[in-house]
Amino acid sequence: DRTQAIVEAATSGSSERCQATVETLTSILASEAGNLALKVFATGGVYLAGGIALHLVDALKQPRFLESFTRKGRFKDLMRRIPLHLITARAALAGAATNGFELLNNEVTR
């Protein structure tokens, strides 16, 4: 898994290039999550999920991530009130399995 190798090299300090890559990626992720939060007025919160987010848990806890998320000019105060959540479970797999069971159950009861 290349992502895991890059993150491990970045966190261990063995590669400045990997550190820069992780910092850039988390900055972009935070900024885009903030953009989406503003577009949909996500006052209930923003949920981050997926493999990349799971690999970057430690980087997402850094102040730089929150600063990039909230850096939205005159909306900065609003952005500070939007909660950020990290989904660590395999949500897509659980959702697909639940949907499959529901479809199967509907077929059996017909």
Side-chain angles (χ1 to χ4, degrees):
D1 182 5
R2 291 180 185 168
T3 304
Q4 186 174 0
I6 291 168
V7 171
E8 286 176 2
T11 55
S12 71
S14 63
S15 170
E16 289 181 22
R17 184 175 291 175
C18 289
Q19 287 175 323
T21 299
V22 167
E23 287 175 11
T24 300
L25 181 59
T26 54
S27 178
I28 292 169
L29 179 62
S31 182
E32 289 303 314
N35 290 342
L36 181 60
L38 277 177
K39 286 178 187 176
V40 300
F41 201 59
T43 56
V46 172
Y47 293 80
L48 302 172
I52 299 280
L54 288 176
H55 285 301
L56 298 175
V57 171
D58 292 333
L60 298 178
K61 292 178 181 178
Q62 299 301 315
R64 177 178 282 170
F65 181 81
L66 192 56
E67 289 167 7
S68 293
F69 178 79
T70 59
R71 193 180 307 122
K72 301 296 173 207
R74 67 179 186 256
F75 297 109
K76 188 171 189 161
D77 291 334
L78 169 67
M79 297 303 293
R80 286 183 178 159
R81 293 192 306 262
I82 295 176
L84 285 167
H85 306 279
L86 178 63
I87 299 174
T88 58
R90 297 194 177 268
L93 183 58
T98 300
N99 188 47
F101 283 129
E102 288 175 0
L103 290 172
L104 182 61
N105 189 35
N106 290 340
E107 289 295 319
V108 171
T109 58
R110 284 186 187 179

